[in-house]
Amino acid sequence: MRDARTNIRDALYEEPGPITKRYTAVGTAISLAALAVLAAAVVRQFYINGQLAPRYWTIFFRWTTWRFLGQGLLGTLRAAAMAGVVTFILGFILMTGRICNYRILRLIATAIIDFVRGVPTLLFIYFFFLVLPQLGIRLDAFWKVTLPVGISACGVVAEVLRSGVNAVPIGQKEAAYSLGMRETGIFLKVVFPQAIRYVIPALISELVIVVKDTTFAYVVNFPDLMQNAKVLISNYDAMLSVYLVVAVIYILINFLLNRLSDTIAKQRPRTLAAAELKGPTA
Amino acid sequence: MEKKNKMQDQLPVIELKHVDKHYGQLHVLKDINLTVRRGEVVVIIGPSGSGKSTLCRTINRLETIDSGEILITGEPLPKEGKDLARLRARVGMVFQSFNLFAHKTILDNVTLGPTDVLRVPKAKAREEAMQLLKRVGVDSQAAKLPAKLSGGQQQRVAIARSLAMHPEAILFDEPTSALDPEMIGEVLEVMTELAQEGMTMVMVTHEMNFARRVADRVIFMDAGSIIEENSPDEFFDHPATQRAKDFLNSIKDH
């Protein structure tokens, strides 16, 4: 479909002319050259400091290294998935509080949202790691990561969900009212299913943040990718190589998540937005 | 077209008594009195901003009113809650912008009301929905999402969705105003059939030929008031007020 405007860039900028195209080509060439120089400088620096020595890298030829990292990766994925579930449930509850008819509930929900959005994740972790045990509450290391990470993200999730709910055209509700449907049914069967489709890309962006926040697992000794990486580093004294490999793994996870988000975002307009764009709103 | 002369004997389905409504300073409905009897087709016309759409929407309480009374089959329309929903379910509504549920297939659009509100078993609701879709000529599109259909098809689905609730009356709020010209006919055709089958209808429209052909009664509104109320032939041929004459002239010029 090259005929239609397929992305935001096409919609925001006019087709470049010959001069603009020349500038773009020259700019691209200069940037690439600068990047190459930079990369070479980095590698040279590593070489000078002996970071490229084989002993730092041969550990990645061993099966046990990968198995250990794989266990860590599994821990990261488990923690991120559970934190994602926690944050979605809490975010959903806060969002319903934020949009409900009772002023007092709205105020409470708004206050909680502002609080969790304002406090750094690490503070929540410390709360679960240091404060709760003093109160006699003992949790698994798994929950000491997933609960604080989930709580930390739920404020944003609540606001994202709310923006989706607000984006559903009023006519959808009116049609449901006129059928005699009740508020709860309308919300669950008409409004929310559409709202969630609008905000899936934003929710996945938040999931990326959740994945990154699970690296705080090292604080509570939960064996995630980061924690296992630290163990490798102290065993082999191979900081740079291990961190590089682990960084690449994190980038891959989040790259895949973002690709998923893009795929969904591209499908969305065909099912939802097109209908509303066609019909004028009275 | 056959005209129903014995209308006076029929029970009122919709009654508005001394209905008033303001938008802030603006008095949008002024002492509206209107009775729609079973089987009657009432067309509301008037210049834009005359309050005709607002009037139509108050009957389903999509617009609230400040004072006065609205009765559906003799029962006063409640302000909220279960009883309001129950009365709303008796009166169908077809919107200018169709308002089909964008995330549901055509079939699910039609079955949602019966299954959720009337507690009709899913299989039965589907069966009946297919019959209704066939009746309005879009049964072949049943599995698609609304966005895939033309405006005319979407509006016919919206009519089927209303019919699925077995309503006492259907409100049409400018049902053809958002349609491309070539699609208006197919929607009016379905509406004409409904009228002939005896459906009680209240309709805000700019389709004057359709109004003359199908309506039992024409209501002319201006500035929030009902100015004239007459049979279509009488209204279009001999408008009684200057305002109605001006309005009819203004649309004739095109």
Side-chain angles (χ1 to χ4, degrees), chain B residues 28-45:
Chain B
V28 284
L29 292 179
K30 296 175 187 162
D31 192 30
I32 299 291
N33 291 282
L34 175 67
T35 301
V36 182
R37 291 172 190 283
R38 192 168 300 286
E40 214 179 357
V41 177
V42 173
V43 165
I44 306 173
I45 62 175

Side-chain angles (χ1 to χ4, degrees), chain A residues 171-172 174-182 189-190 193-194 197 270-272 274-276 278 280 282, chain B residues 57 60 82 85 88-89 91 93 95-97 99-104 116-117 145 147 149 161 165 178:
Chain A
Q172 296 286 307
E174 290 184 345
Y177 281 137
S178 76
L179 291 174
M181 290 177 71
R182 306 290 306 279
K189 294 181 183 176
V190 175
Q194 296 189 47
R197 284 165 169 82
R270 271 194 276 153
T271 57
L272 277 175
E276 288 120 33
K278 263 194 228 157
Chain B
R57 288 162 55 86
N60 233 338
K82 203 165 76 186
R88 271 176 173 161
V91 181
M93 179 121 195
F95 300 86
Q96 181 180 0
S97 46
N99 293 351
L100 292 183
F101 303 126
H103 62 304
K104 288 188 176 291
D116 186 81
V117 179
L145 287 170
L149 271 61
R161 178 173 67 178
M165 298 297 290

Side-chain angles (χ1 to χ4, degrees), chain A:
Chain A
M1 282 242 307
R2 283 278 84 192
D3 52 326
R5 304 209 140 175
T6 47
N7 61 37
I8 298 280
R9 201 206 142 279
D10 288 343
L12 285 182
Y13 301 103
E14 60 178 353
E15 191 71 17
I19 297 175
T20 311
K21 275 182 182 160
R22 202 154 57 229
Y23 280 152
T24 310
V26 171
T28 308
I30 292 173
S31 311
L32 285 177
L35 277 176
V37 169
L38 195 65
V42 168
V43 172
R44 183 170 171 272
Q45 206 59 36
F46 285 166
Y47 181 75
I48 290 170
N49 292 326
Q51 293 288 357
L52 297 182
R55 68 181 183 93
Y56 293 126
W57 298 91
T58 45
I59 53 171
F60 292 105
F61 292 123
R62 284 183 218 157
W63 161 240
T64 46
T65 305
W66 286 107
R67 195 180 58 188
F68 192 59
L69 282 177
Q71 284 165 351
L73 175 62
L74 202 65
T76 289
L77 294 180
R78 271 177 59 221
M82 182 51 80
V85 170
V86 167
T87 200
F88 185 82
I89 292 172
L90 292 178
F92 182 86
I93 294 169
L94 284 176
M95 178 271 295
T96 51
R98 189 85 161 71
I99 62 170
C100 83
N101 281 326
Y102 301 102
R103 201 177 132 80
I104 181 75
L105 285 183
R106 279 205 307 272
L107 285 175
I108 293 171
T110 310
I112 296 175
I113 288 169
D114 284 344
F115 175 75
V116 294
R117 283 207 298 183
V119 175
T121 310
L122 192 54
L123 282 189
F124 285 118
I125 303 241
Y126 280 145
F127 179 80
F128 276 80
F129 183 54
L130 302 172
V131 180
L132 284 191
Q134 286 184 357
L135 303 173
I137 300 170
R138 308 223 163 272
L139 292 172
D140 256 10
F142 179 69
W143 293 108
K144 282 185 205 159
V145 187
T146 52
L147 289 179
V149 168
I151 288 171
S152 174
C154 74
V156 174
V157 169
E159 288 298 284
V160 166
L161 289 176
R162 189 174 69 98
S163 73
V165 167
N166 288 341
V168 176
I170 183 76
Q172 296 286 307
K173 266 184 110 172
E174 290 184 345
Y177 281 137
S178 76
L179 291 174
M181 290 177 71
R182 306 290 306 279
E183 288 288 353
T184 313
I186 292 174
F187 187 76
L188 293 179
K189 294 181 183 176
V190 175
V191 175
F192 194 68
Q194 296 189 47
I196 198 86
R197 284 165 169 82
Y198 285 126
V199 298
I200 278 178
L203 286 179
I204 291 178
S205 301
E206 195 56 26
L207 192 57
V208 167
I209 293 174
V210 165
V211 169
K212 293 201 281 185
D213 272 359
T214 56
T215 52
F216 285 123
Y218 75 86
V219 177
V220 299
N221 276 322
F222 176 75
D224 79 329
L225 185 55
M226 198 63 176
Q227 168 74 8
N228 285 8
K230 279 183 185 295
V231 173
L232 281 183
I233 288 166
S234 57
N235 280 358
Y236 295 111
D237 185 31
M239 187 155 83
L240 181 94
S241 58
V242 172
Y243 272 153
L244 267 179
V245 167
V246 166
V248 168
I249 296 174
Y250 275 112
I251 290 170
L252 268 179
I253 298 173
N254 290 330
F255 173 77
L256 290 176
L257 280 176
N258 284 323
R259 280 295 297 274
L260 178 69
S261 159
D262 286 351
T263 311
I264 294 169
K266 269 184 201 141
Q267 280 174 354
R268 206 170 34 130
R270 271 194 276 153
T271 57
L272 277 175
E276 288 120 33
L277 290 178
K278 263 194 228 157
T281 42

